[in-house]
Amino acid sequence: MWGSWVSILLIASLGLIGSCSAAAVEYDSSAVIINGERKIILSGSIHYPRSTVEMWSDLIQKAKEGGLDTIETYIFWNAHEPRRREYNFTGNLDFVKFFQKVQEAGLHGILRIGPYACAEWNYGGFPVWLHNIPDIKFRTDNEIFKNEMQTFTTKIVNMAKEAKLFASQGGPIILAQIENEYGNVMGPYGEAGKSYVQWCAQMAVAQNTGVPWIMCQQSDAPSSVINTCNGFYCDAFTPNNPKNPKIWTENWTGWFKKWGQKDPHRTAEDLAFSVARFFQQNGVLQNYYMYHGGTNFGRTSGGPFITTSYDYDAPLDEYGNLNQPKWGHLKKLHAALKLGEKILTNSTVKTTNYSDGWVELTTFTSNINGERLCFLSNTKMDDVNVDLQQDGNYSVPAWSVSILQDCNQEIYNTAKVNVQTSLIVKKLQENDTPQKLSWEWAREPTKAALLGQGGFKATQLLEQKAATNDQSDYLWYMTRVVNNGTAMKNVTLRVKYSGQFLHAFVNGKEIGSQHDYSFTFEKPALLKPGRNIISLLSATVGLQNYGEFFDEGTEGIAGGPVELIDNGNTTDLSSNKWSYKVGLIGEGRRFYNPHSGHAKWVSGNLPVGSAMTWYKTTFQAPSGTEPVVVDLQGMGKGHAWVNGNSLGRFWPTLTADPNGCDGKCDYRGQYKENKCLSNCGNPTQRWYHVPRSFLNNGSNTLILFEEIGGNPSNVSFQITATETICGNAYEGTTLELSCNGGRRTISDVQFASFGDPQGGTCGSFQRGSVEASSSLSAVEKACLGKESCSINISKTTFGVGDSFGVDDNRLAVQAVCK
């Protein structure tokens, strides 16, 4: 148990700051102090299970190059303990190895145990077997739940201790988290919720990690832990203890995507604005959520209806590419903040308001040598001119923050993007020839289910989570109905449904299907004389992951009722004898594994638009090193595997609303997840990440399970490549252009103009009223044939005199990478 926040003394690896011996680390309300050096911390979330081991080093290195000090990650309970007391820490679930790589890169780590994560992850990270323990109540003062939570938390802490991962042992982890965003939902839990929060803190601190514990979104967090902020903006957040540092654990870099929805986008300008405002308002530690989102492999996406892609519009995209200009614009912000770090962490702070309070000047004056650093922010939707008297006049763009060295020299402005924009495309590798895929197929064996034959029975409609233990998305509900009369043609089958996707069969024929969050299914059904079989297939698309009592939400048919309606007469079948089958036969027989040998694959006469069908093909991996995707355009809904490795769920037939994407995106003003949308009218997700580590040098196997009917004829494998790069930067800065690896080089400069070029985006550049005649040749000389280049944007570079141009000369460039 540690005392006041200021007096915490920890031990951390000096490998984090350039040596191999231990270093004293302490914290106060304005800094993280490592071996006497006061620091602000820039962090980013990378979820190790949403990438592969082979990607980790590259992602971590790109985060470091982007100016981060720290990597933050969740621990997902259901991934590590899929069955009670049976643990998995292998492959991309090896969190110890992940943090070791973080330390090898010279970075700190933040361990978010939770163990409730949310994270748009299936069931919020809770294992479903937990739900099936009698008398358990989640996230409240329930002894059964607390015992399980403590057991898992202790397991993770002990593993970290054994690997010497905590800063107190010379490791990278400087903070650990218990619970997550409970304060947002705790009201309905009443007094039991309040006592649970107290218990969480006591249990965590008693783990004796030697590092402090944090709680996100918990304004009443006990004094033994630090409450932190999550959101799009946290500049106004104040810790509940004035001695605690101001920590922002989740700065949402974009937003997650759901099946059937459009693509959300948060601009680089607004994201940078939020970060600069946070540090202007005495922030100490800021973490991007996500810095790399990655992929929901397997059945890990939650929701319901969260897509397989968890790109999150992050600075590193789903495949690990630099998302430019976001990555580069933030890198320059981080450099500016680090330039003023010594002042920010040991200073006297004064704030002055201008323009009716819209403009705020915050002056940090060093307590050591009197040096100054200023933040000049404008929260107005219009540009503002400000007279700072002895420090000069400044034009502050709308919704921006300027960072002023010595309070008189602008070194960064959040609205001025002086870095490249990369247009990343999906395409065939130039050196490859198109592959004509040859398909085999197999029917999903449904005969037993359609005849009402299951694995177990009950005289009630079961809740799906309880019945399946989340071992599959699928659960068959089957019952028999005896018709003692003639054929009944005017019968309606009505099912009250609490899942996401329902297929209904009567006597072996599908009478309809429907999907939504919860709904009542009603379709005509023909009952023959004698025995009739009703078979209902319920499919989940990610279990609920957020909200009060979300764990208690019902899935599947769960009590129904299931009814037959005939000429106004209703027969309730809910208490019939129901037979159940968990999962698909093909899942149990591992059809998805090319070596299982259980599927009877058929060549020729490829069925198209056929539901409940498995498809298999072999392919050669695209050459090169760039990330690989499989285009599943034409498929319906289902699951994909490459060489037995799950790529996740697919659903390209579900398209976004065609309306609401006007192409306009104004960075100014508060960001919401419905702002700056794109991809209207297109499949929510068409391309699916195939990590190179899943691929063989020779032949590879793709297996698809198609649930609703699709056509695999147009499936193809492509790469993601940076094809076009653009820059639009101001005089006095350096424009860096890069093809982002993959052995691509700048092969052509399509446009270059120094002066006052018009148009602000790739493809729209035009020459302005003034232009240096050497614009194109100077850029070509610096960049052609190179993977990356730097251009000092100055009159000297372009051979023009001091009187050339306009007040704000700029360089606009558009180039091609091949």
Side-chain angles (χ1 to χ4, degrees):
M1 178 81 66
W2 44 274
S4 73
W5 175 246
V6 178
S7 66
I8 301 167
L9 186 66
L10 307 175
I11 303 297
S13 167
L14 263 177
L16 301 173
I17 52 174
S19 179
C20 295
S21 58
V25 177
E26 57 185 338
Y27 302 80
D28 63 24
S29 61
S30 62
V32 176
I33 309 162
I34 303 178
N35 207 28
E37 186 176 0
R38 304 178 66 83
K39 291 182 171 292
I40 57 172
I41 296 293
L42 298 162
S43 178
S45 290
I46 298 175
H47 292 160
Y48 56 93
R50 279 177 162 144
S51 55
T52 64
V53 176
E54 292 75 15
M55 295 175 67
W56 290 349
S57 294
D58 181 62
L59 295 172
I60 293 167
Q61 185 60 35
K62 286 175 178 174
K64 182 178 181 180
E65 291 171 1
L68 298 191
D69 306 290
T70 303
I71 303 297
E72 181 189 76
T73 195
Y74 272 126
I75 301 291
F76 293 106
W77 189 355
N78 57 356
H80 292 297
E81 194 177 357
R83 287 168 293 279
R84 193 167 185 253
R85 305 300 181 262
E86 295 182 21
Y87 299 101
N88 184 1
F89 295 98
T90 61
N92 69 337
L93 297 180
D94 189 347
F95 80 92
V96 170
K97 184 174 183 178
F98 179 82
F99 277 113
Q100 288 171 339
K101 287 188 174 294
V102 167
Q103 184 167 27
E104 289 169 7
L107 300 179
H108 305 285
I110 298 174
L111 177 67
R112 302 184 72 177
I113 298 177
Y116 166 72
C118 183
E120 292 71 58
W121 187 269
N122 195 49
Y123 212 39
F126 286 137
V128 170
W129 58 257
L130 199 68
H131 170 79
N132 292 336
I133 297 177
D135 300 320
I136 196 169
K137 296 290 183 183
F138 288 16
R139 304 179 80 191
T140 189
D141 195 2
N142 175 273
E143 291 301 320
I144 303 170
F145 175 75
K146 291 190 299 181
N147 288 338
E148 293 295 333
M149 177 175 167
Q150 182 169 354
T151 297
F152 181 73
T153 301
T154 302
K155 173 75 175 178
I156 298 302
V157 168
N158 286 345
M159 289 183 66
K161 284 181 178 179
E162 289 169 10
K164 301 188 185 304
L165 293 182
F166 290 109
S168 54
Q169 302 170 292
I173 297 173
I174 57 173
L175 290 174
Q177 179 186 310
I178 197 71
E179 251 300 344
N180 183 45
E181 297 182 339
Y182 188 65
N184 294 349
V185 300
M186 71 177 291
Y189 293 86
E191 292 302 316
K194 295 179 181 179
S195 58
Y196 167 68
V197 169
Q198 295 291 326
W199 172 85
C200 285
Q202 294 167 7
M203 184 271 288
V205 173
Q207 298 287 330
N208 293 317
T209 60
V211 303
W213 290 80
I214 59 176
M215 277 188 181
C216 301
Q217 296 293 91
Q218 197 66 48
S219 59
D220 64 344
S223 60
S224 56
V225 299
I226 300 94
N227 68 310
T228 69
C229 182
N230 293 352
F232 290 119
Y233 307 93
C234 281
D235 48 285
F237 167 72
T238 301
N240 63 5
N241 184 339
K243 295 180 179 180
N244 285 354
K246 182 172 175 174
I247 296 177
W248 189 358
T249 28
E250 291 188 15
N251 182 355
W252 300 329
T253 59
W255 200 241
F256 56 86
K257 187 163 59 172
K258 289 191 171 187
W259 298 111
Q261 292 187 357
K262 305 158 194 171
D263 287 359
H265 169 61
R266 188 180 185 189
T267 64
E269 295 95 326
D270 179 66
L271 182 58
F273 170 82
S274 71
V275 177
R277 281 281 294 174
F278 177 72
F279 284 103
Q280 179 179 10
Q281 300 293 331
N282 302 303
V284 172
L285 188 158
Q286 187 270 165
N287 177 74
Y288 296 104
Y289 187 97
M290 299 291 299
Y291 198 78
H292 166 73
T295 306
N296 288 314
F297 298 114
R299 300 172 48 253
T300 57
S301 61
F305 295 117
I306 303 295
T307 58
T308 298
S309 171
Y310 197 66
D311 183 84
Y312 225 93
D313 198 21
L316 299 177
D317 74 10
E318 178 180 0
Y319 317 106
N321 300 308
L322 304 184
N323 179 9
Q324 297 278 38
K326 188 170 284 187
W327 183 87
H329 192 47
L330 294 175
K331 177 181 178 179
K332 287 184 177 289
L333 169 60
H334 303 155
L337 290 169
K338 287 299 183 178
L339 187 66
E341 183 175 53
K342 290 184 178 179
I343 302 173
L344 290 173
T345 57
N346 195 341
S347 60
T348 301
V349 185
K350 178 184 176 182
T351 298
T352 306
N353 291 315
Y354 299 87
S355 188
D356 297 326
W358 291 104
V359 175
E360 200 168 75
L361 173 69
T362 304
T363 303
F364 293 82
T365 304
S366 172
N367 294 329
I368 299 173
N369 55 22
E371 290 183 353
R372 296 183 302 157
L373 185 78
C374 281
F375 289 76
L376 185 60
S377 63
N378 175 16
T379 57
K380 206 172 184 179
M381 296 291 284
D382 302 303
D383 300 350
V384 175
N385 291 312
V386 180
D387 182 2
L388 301 184
Q389 298 179 0
Q390 71 267 24
D391 289 320
N393 293 314
Y394 289 90
S395 176
V396 191
W399 198 256
S400 78
V401 181
S402 291
I403 300 177
L404 308 175
Q405 188 176 13
D406 298 326
C407 292
N408 56 25
Q409 178 187 354
E410 183 180 288
I411 57 174
Y412 184 85
N413 179 271
T414 61
K416 299 176 182 178
V417 179
N418 293 304
V419 299
Q420 81 174 49
T421 294
S422 300
L423 300 185
I424 298 176
V425 298
K426 280 84 173 178
K427 59 183 290 184
L428 183 70
Q429 172 65 268
E430 288 91 342
N431 298 326
D432 296 346
T433 56
Q435 299 182 57
K436 179 63 177 177
L437 299 178
S438 178
W439 291 92
E440 297 176 280
W441 57 278
R443 297 287 188 194
E444 163 62 21
T446 59
K447 182 177 180 180
L450 298 181
L451 290 175
Q453 299 168 2
F456 60 95
K457 297 180 180 180
T459 54
Q460 60 179 333
L461 292 165
L462 299 178
E463 198 275 330
Q464 187 162 345
K465 291 194 304 294
T468 66
N469 212 23
D470 199 37
Q471 298 304 301
S472 171
D473 284 348
Y474 300 99
L475 177 65
W476 285 98
Y477 295 75
M478 300 158 284
T479 194
R480 298 179 181 182
V481 177
V482 177
N483 174 21
N484 293 322
T486 59
M488 301 172 65
K489 298 181 179 180
N490 298 317
V491 176
T492 296
L493 174 65
R494 182 165 65 193
V495 182
K496 185 178 180 182
Y497 185 61
S498 302
Q500 289 101 56
F501 207 117
L502 181 67
H503 302 268
F505 302 83
V506 175
N507 296 325
K509 294 182 179 181
E510 184 163 8
I511 65 169
S513 64
Q514 189 172 337
H515 65 85
D516 208 334
Y517 284 88
S518 287
F519 53 87
T520 297
F521 173 92
E522 290 192 22
K523 290 290 182 181
L526 173 63
L527 297 188
K528 64 185 180 181
R531 187 181 69 177
N532 295 266
I533 305 295
I534 296 175
S535 302
L536 306 173
L537 178 61
S538 173
T540 56
V541 191
L543 300 181
Q544 189 71 35
N545 60 261
Y546 181 76
E548 62 269 19
F549 306 108
F550 78 88
D551 53 289
E552 298 178 8
T554 55
E555 296 289 343
I557 301 175
V562 175
E563 298 169 319
L564 291 174
I565 304 171
D566 177 30
N567 295 320
N569 298 315
T570 300
T571 302
D572 191 342
L573 307 178
S574 304
S575 57
N576 267 29
K577 181 179 286 186
W578 288 86
S579 187
Y580 294 90
K581 171 69 178 69
V582 175
L584 306 172
I585 298 293
E587 285 181 301
R589 295 179 182 174
R590 298 169 62 83
F591 283 11
Y592 53 83
N593 186 332
H595 306 296
S596 70
H598 291 295
K600 295 180 180 179
W601 298 104
V602 178
S603 300
N605 298 318
L606 185 70
V608 172
S610 177
M612 308 299 284
T613 303
W614 295 79
Y615 297 99
K616 182 176 79 167
T617 190
T618 56
F619 66 96
Q620 297 291 317
S623 60
T625 60
E626 288 159 310
V628 177
V629 292
V630 59
D631 182 0
L632 294 183
Q633 181 83 312
M635 298 304 297
K637 174 183 179 288
H639 205 119
W641 295 264
V642 165
N643 296 330
N645 300 290
S646 171
L647 305 183
R649 302 181 181 99
F650 64 79
W651 201 350
T653 52
L654 201 58
T655 57
D657 186 327
N659 303 305
C661 299
D662 57 9
K664 299 177 182 178
C665 181
D666 190 345
Y667 75 87
R668 300 173 301 172
Q670 292 271 340
Y671 177 75
K672 298 290 183 183
E673 60 271 20
N674 59 357
K675 183 179 179 181
C676 297
L677 298 173
S678 63
N679 202 44
C680 287
N682 295 319
T684 306
Q685 186 175 350
R686 172 179 170 182
W687 291 279
Y688 298 81
H689 185 201
V690 185
R692 289 248 176 211
S693 60
F694 288 5
L695 298 171
N696 304 318
N697 290 328
S699 179
N700 297 274
T701 303
L702 169 68
I703 294 177
L704 307 173
F705 170 68
E706 174 56 63
E707 179 185 326
I708 63 175
N711 183 355
S713 300
N714 293 322
V715 169
S716 65
F717 288 85
Q718 303 176 31
I719 61 167
T720 68
T722 301
E723 192 169 71
T724 302
I725 55 177
C726 294
N728 188 10
Y730 287 86
E731 184 178 4
T733 64
T734 298
L735 177 62
E736 297 177 351
L737 298 175
S738 172
C739 291
N740 293 330
R743 289 184 280 187
R744 293 181 176 271
T745 60
I746 299 172
S747 61
D748 182 31
V749 179
Q750 297 175 317
F751 181 90
S753 180
F754 176 69
D756 65 339
Q758 304 301 301
T761 59
C762 282
S764 69
F765 292 138
Q766 296 179 356
R767 288 170 175 79
S769 59
V770 292
E771 179 186 69
S773 60
S774 65
S775 296
L776 182 62
S777 60
V779 173
E780 287 180 332
K781 181 179 179 180
C783 299
L784 277 182
K786 299 178 181 179
E787 190 278 327
S788 61
C789 62
S790 296
I791 306 165
N792 180 24
I793 306 177
S794 67
K795 295 182 176 69
T796 301
T797 298
F798 296 97
V800 296
D802 291 341
S803 60
F804 170 83
V806 295
D807 290 340
D808 291 318
N809 289 314
R810 290 181 294 116
L811 171 66
V813 177
Q814 180 168 318
V816 176
C817 293
K818 282 190 178 179

